[in-house]
Amino acid sequence: MVNISSILILIGILVVIISTIVIFKNNKEYQNIYDEVNIMYKKIKDYSNNIEIIVNDMEDIVDKFLLMTEANNVGVKGRNKSKDIIKQKSTIDIKDTSNIVQEKELDVETSYENEIVRLHEIGLTNEEIAKTLNKGIREINIILKMHTMKNNVN
C-alpha cells in the first residue's frame, strides 16, 4: 500500500515544480517590461539632448544675428525696436506675442534684404555676397530680383 506521507510528498513536489514554472514565467514578463521601459528612457534622454542642442543652436543664431545687425550701421529700420522686444521678452503679454513675432520677422527680412542690396550697390557680385553672408547664390539672386521688382512697382 501506498503510504499517505509519500502521496503528500509527491503532491508537495508537484506544487513546488508548478510554482517554480509560474515564477520563471512571471520573471520573464517582468524582464520584458523592464527592457521596454529602459528603451523608452533612452529615447527620452536622446530626445532631451537633441532639444537642448537645438535650443543652444537657436540661441547662437539669434546672438550672431544681433551682432551682425549691430555691426552693420546701415540704417536698419526698427533695429532699436527689435532690441527692445528681445530685452522685454520675459515681460511680454501672451496676447501680444503674435504681433511681436510678425514685427520681428519683418525687421529680420528687411535688415537681411538691406544688407544684400547694400553689398550689391558697393559692387560685389552675387557670388561674393553669397560667400560673405554664408548663403546660397540662388537665395541672393532671388532676393535681389524681388527687391528690383518691388522697387519697380513703387
Side-chain angles (χ1 to χ4, degrees):
M1 278 206 213
V2 179
N3 201 358
I4 292 184
S5 61
S6 55
I7 293 176
L8 289 176
I9 290 175
L10 193 65
I11 292 174
I13 292 173
L14 284 174
V15 169
V16 169
I17 291 173
I18 292 172
S19 298
T20 306
I21 291 172
V22 169
I23 289 172
F24 281 124
K25 197 173 193 180
N26 284 341
N27 190 26
K28 196 172 194 179
E29 290 176 8
Y30 288 130
Q31 183 64 37
N32 290 339
I33 292 171
Y34 174 77
D35 291 340
E36 289 178 16
V37 169
N38 201 16
I39 289 170
M40 285 183 210
Y41 172 76
K42 288 178 183 178
K43 286 181 180 181
I44 290 171
K45 191 173 180 180
D46 289 342
Y47 181 74
S48 173
N49 290 338
N50 288 337
I51 287 181
E52 187 173 314
I53 290 169
I54 290 170
V55 168
N56 289 337
D57 288 346
M58 286 299 290
E59 288 176 354
D60 290 342
I61 290 170
V62 169
D63 290 341
K64 286 178 184 177
F65 174 75
L66 289 175
L67 288 174
M68 185 175 78
T69 56
E70 290 174 0
N72 297 329
N73 294 322
V74 286
V76 176
K77 294 180 182 177
R79 181 174 40 184
N80 292 332
K81 182 188 264 184
S82 66
K83 284 183 188 176
D84 292 341
I85 290 170
I86 291 170
K87 287 179 185 174
Q88 297 172 359
K89 69 181 177 183
S90 61
T91 59
I92 293 177
D93 185 15
I94 293 176
K95 295 176 185 175
D96 297 333
T97 305
S98 62
N99 294 336
I100 292 170
V101 168
Q102 290 173 350
E103 289 175 13
K104 185 170 181 189
E105 287 175 356
L106 291 174
D107 291 343
V108 169
E109 291 173 10
T110 304
S111 65
Y112 183 59
E113 181 182 329
N114 287 343
E115 180 65 14
I116 292 172
V117 170
R118 184 183 69 81
L119 291 173
H120 184 69
E121 287 174 351
I122 341 178
L124 292 178
T125 65
N126 293 357
E127 292 83 9
E128 292 170 331
I129 296 171
K131 286 179 184 175
T132 303
L133 299 176
N134 288 331
K135 299 294 178 187
I137 188 163
R138 291 189 58 136
E139 184 177 353
I140 303 300
N141 289 338
I142 290 170
I143 290 173
L144 286 173
K145 284 180 185 177
M146 287 173 47
H147 179 75
T148 305
M149 290 171 57
K150 186 168 58 172
N151 286 342
N152 289 340
V153 170
N154 293 334

